[in-house]
Amino acid sequence: MDDLLHAQKILVLDYGSQYTQLIARRVRESGAYCEIHSWRMEPAEMRAFAPKGIILSGGHHSVYDADAPMLNEAVLAQGVPVLGICYGMHLLARHFGGEVAPSATREYGHAMVQGVGGKGHGLPGGFLSSGAGQVWMSHGDHVTRVPFGFRALANSDNGILAAMEHEEMAVFGVQFHPEVNHTVDGEKFVRGFVQEVCGCSGLWTAGNVIEHEVALARARVGSDRVILGLSGGVDSAVTAVLLHRAIGDQLTCVFVDNGLLRLNEGEEVMATFASHLGVKVIRVDAEERFLTRLAGVSDPEQKRKIIGHTFIEVFEEEANKIDGARWLAQGTIYPDVIESAGAKTKTAANIKSHHNVGGLPERMGLQLLEPLRELFKDEVRTVGLELGLPARMIFRHPFPGPGLGVRILGEVKKEYADLLRRADAIYLEELYSTGHYDKISQAFAVFLPVKSVGVMGDGRSYDYVVALRAVETRDFMTAAWYPMPHDLLSRIANRIINEVKGINRVVYDITSKPPGTIEWE
């Protein structure tokens, strides 16, 4: 990676913090490219990466645990600035001869910190320049003796060392988490470390990313043809527009309509890409095939497998009709890459594999093209806006790969899908019109395959039930149900019952995650 875009890099070593990806995102927002690697990263690999600075993430371990991750000796050998966050601070303190011990008063959540002497001298970005500030703590251990050669920069109101720096080297340790939104001015701290301390000059921008990926795609593809499975989601949409800018008509997108899409979604995708953006899109109506294979199947995992395998089958059939196709483009993004590599690092507690990280190209005999694999989701959205995609498409709530197939509980039938997509459309229409859609992280309707007695006009009804779901979340690992105004809920329910014949009852899900999941299946 000797191009200008990647010339200034920050390395984030993962020690198991739940915020590791958030650290990397804050670095990217500060204008520097960064990558997340295991704390076990080999010295030769670290030297080859040539970081301008290194950040040690926090983690759930204590430095006294028998299996606790250790300070990678290659870190200080790089001779670049180092920032240790929480557990990373503890590692630095022990390495330089300080002491770490369990806290008598553990700090989880908001805390106030004071700069030593009334000001946080030496803290990047002018953090604590006013003398005090609110931060986010999450720890059981803390540094009880400042290591030799270091000086204290800040303490918490509980008397716990909150920040320290080496007197000669650019080595910092902070007990708090500057990367989370709860730390006031935390983004300034990270930006100060990245730009002022490490000397990165803000090369990582959406415009530069687009220019780089366009040039790279042209160089790699040459005159070959490329195929892409277009789902209508953000990742595949941005991939399509980016590659269209790079190679034009050499790109062919295949849009598989599985009969489990939202209301009018197929028409919207075709209008956006084929008509307005000039992207070549082949639409395949495969509803009957999907629904036939799903008949009689109620288990959620089995439904997912059937939908996934059928999609690949249909996509391959269409791909084989395209002469000269040598490349398969996919909307893989950086979190996919991190999580798929997680099994190697053995650092993250939860590992999941992704269908678009390996596997498919080997079977199809195509080379893989993944122009977004270095980007986080928020960066993908920024790039999409820069490329001219409509904001409403870019900021749509997440939609599962199996579509309505996992929002219809139990067996999937066309009747159920038709009822659900109409109810869901009314729900989202009301959220858009009242300004609530952008306040909610994810909202959708769920079809319940049970009937209840109701009264419609002067007669008795016996029809189906839908549940409405809306949650607020930052990372989708935890989520709180959205406190929907009662008058809005009433209007949504009345519209669904009056306008969707076959539904006579609407309920609202007030389960948070945990103990529930966001999706019902």
Side-chain angles (χ1 to χ4, degrees):
M1 293 189 300
D2 55 356
D3 58 279
L4 183 63
L5 185 65
H6 300 89
Q8 301 174 344
K9 305 187 288 289
I10 301 295
L11 173 62
V12 178
L13 292 184
D14 181 18
Y15 282 88
S17 171
Q18 62 179 318
Y19 303 127
T20 298
Q21 289 193 31
L22 188 53
I23 296 170
R25 285 167 55 192
R26 295 290 177 260
V27 171
R28 300 279 188 90
E29 290 168 4
S30 300
Y33 177 70
C34 73
E35 289 184 8
I36 297 172
H37 287 268
S38 166
W39 65 271
R40 298 182 180 88
M41 190 177 189
E42 293 293 331
E45 187 182 0
M46 197 178 296
R47 287 194 300 271
F49 186 79
K52 296 276 286 183
I54 300 174
I55 298 177
L56 313 178
S57 82
H60 59 281
H61 292 277
S62 166
V63 291
Y64 296 106
D65 291 344
D67 59 346
M70 303 170 64
L71 179 66
N72 189 321
E73 296 291 338
V75 169
L76 297 174
Q78 302 305 305
V80 298
V82 177
L83 169 63
I85 297 175
C86 198
Y87 183 76
M89 177 185 183
H90 304 164
L91 291 173
L92 292 172
R94 287 200 71 191
H95 176 83
F96 284 99
E99 291 184 354
V100 179
S103 302
T105 303
R106 296 189 173 193
E107 294 180 314
Y108 294 100
H110 295 289
M112 292 299 297
V113 295
Q114 297 279 345
V116 172
K119 291 187 177 180
H121 62 283
L123 279 168
F127 192 74
L128 297 185
S129 59
S130 62
Q134 178 179 285
V135 300
W136 184 259
M137 294 283 197
S138 179
H139 69 95
D141 293 351
H142 71 286
V143 177
T144 55
R145 189 181 73 200
V146 180
F148 178 77
F150 280 75
R151 62 188 173 198
L153 296 180
N155 295 316
S156 76
D157 281 357
N158 290 326
I160 289 176
L161 180 66
M164 65 182 191
E165 71 170 342
H166 196 280
E167 295 177 346
E168 297 180 359
M169 299 184 292
V171 178
F172 297 84
V174 293
Q175 183 67 66
F176 56 89
H177 288 271
E179 69 275 18
V180 303
N181 291 330
H182 303 295
T183 295
V184 177
D185 291 334
E187 72 282 356
K188 293 182 181 178
F189 179 96
V190 176
R191 187 182 306 116
F193 177 76
V194 170
Q195 296 184 357
E196 299 166 12
V197 179
C198 299
C200 297
S201 55
L203 298 175
W204 187 261
T205 65
N208 286 345
V209 167
I210 292 170
E211 183 179 341
H212 170 81
E213 292 299 335
V214 165
L216 186 62
R218 286 173 179 164
R220 293 187 66 194
V221 171
S223 59
D224 294 341
R225 295 177 70 90
V226 179
I227 55 175
L228 165 68
L230 188 64
S231 68
V234 175
D235 301 334
S236 68
V238 175
T239 301
V241 179
L242 182 62
L243 290 179
H244 179 69
R245 175 174 291 194
I247 59 175
D249 287 344
Q250 292 171 242
L251 171 70
T252 300
C253 297
V254 177
F255 176 61
V256 178
D257 186 343
N258 58 12
L260 302 171
L261 303 174
R262 288 163 286 201
L263 188 67
N264 300 324
E265 186 166 11
E267 291 73 19
E268 291 173 2
V269 168
M270 295 303 292
T272 299
F273 289 93
S275 302
H276 297 158
L277 298 173
V279 180
K280 188 189 301 181
V281 183
I282 297 172
R283 181 177 180 178
V284 184
D285 184 358
E287 178 184 55
E288 185 176 350
R289 190 188 306 195
F290 278 87
L291 293 181
T292 298
R293 293 185 179 178
L294 288 168
V297 179
S298 298
D299 180 71
E301 284 306 306
Q302 191 176 354
K303 288 196 294 184
R304 287 178 181 273
K305 290 178 181 178
I306 290 171
I307 294 169
H309 292 159
T310 306
F311 171 82
I312 292 173
E313 178 184 296
V314 175
F315 181 78
E316 286 182 318
E317 289 174 3
E318 293 302 317
N320 289 333
K321 300 175 185 177
I322 301 172
D323 294 332
R326 298 287 181 270
W327 296 84
L328 173 67
Q330 294 188 152
T332 308
I333 64 175
Y334 194 47
D336 300 339
V337 177
I338 295 169
E339 290 164 4
S340 293
K344 298 178 183 177
T345 69
K346 298 180 182 178
T347 302
N350 297 308
I351 305 298
K352 62 179 178 179
S353 61
H354 294 262
H355 72 277
N356 58 341
V357 184
L360 191 57
E362 287 80 0
R363 181 168 56 255
M364 297 183 69
L366 300 173
Q367 298 182 74
L368 190 59
L369 197 61
E370 299 171 310
L372 306 182
R373 66 177 290 116
E374 291 184 343
L375 304 184
F376 286 102
K377 193 76 168 189
D378 48 354
E379 295 176 304
V380 172
R381 291 191 174 101
T382 302
V383 167
L385 292 174
E386 186 95 2
L387 288 167
L389 280 168
R392 186 154 174 167
M393 173 177 282
I394 289 296
F395 292 105
R396 287 176 84 173
H397 292 173
F399 189 62
L404 300 183
V406 290
R407 290 181 178 173
I408 297 171
L409 301 193
E411 183 181 5
V412 177
K413 298 181 180 180
K414 179 173 173 52
E415 175 195 4
Y416 297 169
D418 288 341
L419 290 172
L420 177 58
R421 73 177 110 243
R422 290 170 58 200
D424 188 72
I426 291 171
Y427 181 29
L428 298 186
E429 179 184 315
E430 287 291 338
L431 294 182
Y432 273 119
S433 66
T434 57
H436 284 273
Y437 187 88
D438 291 333
K439 300 176 184 178
I440 297 170
S441 303
Q442 191 168 357
F444 54 92
V446 178
F447 182 85
L448 309 184
V450 294
K451 288 187 174 184
S452 70
V453 175
V455 178
M456 304 286 282
D458 295 325
R460 174 184 180 275
S461 69
Y462 188 56
D463 289 320
Y464 292 106
V465 182
V466 294
L468 306 181
R469 181 77 159 137
V471 298
E472 296 175 295
T473 179
R474 282 190 171 85
D475 54 16
F476 288 89
M477 297 172 64
T478 62
W481 61 275
Y482 184 73
M484 195 79 70
H486 291 182
D487 60 337
L488 177 57
L489 273 176
S490 177
R491 184 164 66 252
I492 293 168
N494 286 338
R495 281 198 60 193
I496 290 174
I497 292 170
N498 289 330
E499 298 176 30
V500 185
K501 185 178 180 181
I503 296 174
N504 72 349
R505 191 175 298 271
V506 177
V507 298
Y508 189 60
D509 183 355
I510 58 169
T511 311
S512 292
K513 176 186 179 181
T517 54
I518 295 178
E519 297 283 351
W520 280 40
E521 286 194 344

